[in-house]
């Protein structure tokens, strides 16, 4: 039984390391995508773009 548990622990460790490796390669592109979307929304909701597109700020919007 001890060898079986050791083999399971090694396999679990390899799975965790593989997952961390995959996340490490996916994280920068994913963070970049979220940054692009966030900044795009901030620009779209800016006062300047609102004036250009003739949109009004919502009545319940906060003033920053």
């Amino acid at each position: 039984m001890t060898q079986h548990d050791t083999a399971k622990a090694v396999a679990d460790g390899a799975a965790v390391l593989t997952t961390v490796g995959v996340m490490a390669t996916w994280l920068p592109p994913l963070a970049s995508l979220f940054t692009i979307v966030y900044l795009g929304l901030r620009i779209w909701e800016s006062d300047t773009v609102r004036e250009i597109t003739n949109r009004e700020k919502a009545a319940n919007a906060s003033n920053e």
Side-chain angles (χ1 to χ4, degrees):
M1 279 301 218
T2 306
Q3 290 176 343
H4 188 272
D5 291 337
T6 303
K8 273 175 104 175
V10 169
D12 288 343
V16 168
L17 290 176
T18 301
T19 302
V20 169
V22 168
M23 291 301 292
T25 59
W26 275 87
L27 189 58
L30 190 61
S32 297
L33 175 65
F34 285 136
T35 301
I36 290 168
V37 169
Y38 175 77
L39 290 176
L41 287 171
R42 293 279 297 181
I43 292 169
W44 178 251
E45 294 296 326
S46 70
D47 290 335
T48 304
V49 175
R50 282 182 181 278
E51 280 184 29
I52 293 170
T53 59
N54 294 323
R55 292 182 302 127
E56 293 182 12
K57 189 176 266 191
N60 63 350
S62 64
N63 293 328
E64 293 182 9

